[in-house]
Amino acid sequence: MSIKIQPEAIVALRGFEMPERLGFGTVMAPVMFRARYQDGRWSDGELIPYGPLALDPAAKVLHYAQSCFEGLKAYRNGNNGVGLFRPERNAARMAHSARRLCMPPVPEGLFMDAVRSVASHCANLIPGSSGESLYLRPFLMGTQPDLSVTASRAYEFYVIASPSEAYHAGNMRLWVEREDSRAAVGGTGDAKVGGNYAASLQSIAGLKERGYDQSLWLNPGNRHTIDELSGMNFFAVMDGALHTPALNGSILEGVTRDSMLTLARDQGIEVHEREIDIDDLLALVASGTCSEAFACGTAAIVSPISELGDGDRRYRLSQAPGPVADKLRRALLDIQEGRAEDRFGWMQMVPAASF
Ligand code: COI
């Protein structure tokens, strides 16, 4: 599949000035990728200037939320090179999310061409400090203007990019959410769709005032085993072993989650993927058996958890940041940022585009 580079995209890249402060997801690269799907086939992709989208007000995505997204990162790697971290996992997960919402999966080749072309043209925008990167956000949406509740017949696929710092820096205090659910049994919990995140906002909204940073979601079926955070997977260290909720259909299969498990096993740390009952966990934190906990995700990397709040009780983790989170975070960043050998074949290299 060929990609057309619009001359205006090159003009936009040449004129771009990087702001001093980045934050997460607020500074946008001046170009984006677009491909369209109509009558059962995908168009060629094109790199175009970043800018507002023209959408019919009756587009399916605006009413019935037919859309899904991904998040992955590109790192500066040596002389002019760009390293993408496990992009094929994002391509596969996006195809899974698309199928769940009855959308045509973006073919893996198109997905890879899209992220490679954005990363290579934005090579100069990749920040160089450790923990910073170019965050890529592919998304797919149904654009057919038609208010009937049926799958769209037209779609658009975009990749936008944002030079970013980590999503969450420092220790996090989590609120155990016992009322709301972010996803339903048989719903879209294991698909990366906006509705899961929208459903989490009410819980998160009042947290800061109460001294918390994020909600910890329980399984919507049993309401007592841990699922995940909004946008991050959960890990706890008990007697030196690493425990994380097993994939159960309502948890997103995180690429960083999988990488943490691989790195932990490689370092000889005992790993358990299992159901973790919230009351058991809180008792183990109170007794000191659970010494550390952390969350991880593409955007957040690895974020230590210092406290769990449940009703009017607060449970403090004795180690935050703890040694296991710290060791795994460093091992991951060493591979992503090119300081350690890529023994698991996780990095895909892209040459920087010259223009
Ligand atoms: C990511 O880690 O890429 C995510 O999608 C989380 C994001 C919603 C902040």
Side-chain angles (χ1 to χ4, degrees):
M1 194 160 287
S2 68
I3 297 174
K4 185 176 158 216
I5 314 292
Q6 280 191 359
E8 295 82 359
I10 301 300
V11 172
L13 281 164
R14 287 196 180 123
F16 183 73
E17 277 182 39
M18 189 83 131
E20 237 166 69
R21 298 192 72 104
L22 293 178
F24 172 77
T26 53
V27 175
M28 294 300 160
V31 293
M32 61 187 183
F33 177 93
R34 177 179 66 199
R36 292 192 164 114
Y37 178 94
Q38 183 80 54
D39 300 325
R41 54 181 296 275
W42 284 97
S43 69
D44 284 346
E46 45 183 355
L47 196 71
I48 59 178
Y50 180 91
L53 309 179
L55 268 187
D56 190 292
K60 300 267 192 190
V61 60
L62 298 177
H63 304 270
Y64 308 127
Q66 224 195 350
S67 75
C68 61
F69 69 95
E70 272 304 319
L72 71 159
K73 282 179 171 174
Y75 299 85
R76 208 177 262 281
N77 207 289
N79 287 347
N80 261 346
V82 180
L84 287 167
F85 185 69
R86 309 186 76 182
E88 72 291 346
R89 299 280 297 210
N90 299 92
R93 191 171 63 186
M94 192 161 187
H96 169 77
S97 304
R99 282 190 201 98
R100 180 64 185 81
L101 294 192
C102 215
M103 301 192 281
V106 175
E108 183 175 339
L110 177 61
F111 184 96
M112 297 304 294
D113 284 352
V115 294
R116 289 172 73 90
S117 116
V118 173
S120 80
H121 283 85
C122 295
N124 288 340
L125 312 186
I126 303 180
S129 307
S130 183
E132 298 181 347
S133 58
L134 184 71
Y135 181 75
L136 302 177
R137 173 55 68 89
F139 61 99
L140 170 68
M141 60 183 172
T143 52
Q144 186 192 351
D146 168 358
L147 296 181
S148 61
V149 186
T150 53
S152 178
R153 289 201 304 273
Y155 294 88
E156 292 186 11
F157 168 55
Y158 290 87
V159 180
I160 56 172
S162 172
S164 288
E165 297 165 26
Y167 178 48
H168 200 288
N171 290 343
M172 285 190 301
R173 298 151 304 174
L174 302 192
W175 166 254
V176 177
E177 178 54 71
R178 298 227 183 221
E179 300 294 325
D180 287 3
S181 290
R182 69 179 265 289
V185 176
T188 53
D190 70 348
K192 203 160 175 65
V193 303
N196 296 343
Y197 297 83
S200 74
L201 297 178
Q202 173 176 273
S203 170
I204 299 169
L207 286 187
K208 277 274 182 258
E209 292 141 39
R210 290 186 277 132
Y212 296 101
D213 302 295
Q214 290 283 327
S215 304
L216 180 61
W217 295 97
L218 302 181
N219 185 268
N222 61 39
R223 311 298 293 268
H224 63 85
T225 58
I226 297 173
D227 267 358
E228 61 177 322
L229 284 71
S230 316
M232 293 174 236
N233 291 114
F234 178 83
F235 283 85
V237 180
M238 301 172 197
D239 283 332
L242 192 59
H243 297 249
T244 195
L247 301 174
N248 59 10
S250 63
I251 296 176
L252 192 76
E253 188 171 351
V255 179
T256 312
R257 174 188 182 278
D258 181 77
S259 309
M260 291 282 106
L261 292 173
T262 303
L263 288 170
R265 288 191 184 104
D266 185 60
Q267 296 189 6
I269 299 170
E270 197 179 305
V271 166
H272 300 275
E273 290 180 75
R274 63 172 181 91
E275 281 197 336
I276 304 175
D277 187 281
I278 185 61
D279 294 322
D280 293 349
L281 178 82
L282 294 175
L284 292 172
V285 172
S287 72
T289 303
C290 174
S291 51
E292 65 171 297
F294 59 90
C296 71
T298 295
I301 317 175
V302 174
S303 287
I305 295 164
S306 56
E307 205 172 300
L308 294 163
D310 185 28
D312 53 12
R313 290 203 58 182
R314 287 180 175 246
Y315 298 78
R316 293 205 166 77
L317 276 302
S318 56
Q319 298 182 301
V324 175
D326 192 51
K327 203 167 155 185
L328 293 177
R329 184 180 197 275
R330 259 186 292 126
L332 180 70
L333 282 175
D334 282 349
I335 294 175
Q336 292 173 328
E337 294 171 353
R339 288 182 296 275
E341 187 195 340
D342 178 19
R343 289 191 296 115
F344 307 103
W346 283 342
M347 301 306 292
Q348 286 206 19
M349 294 317 199
V350 188
S354 44
F355 46 84

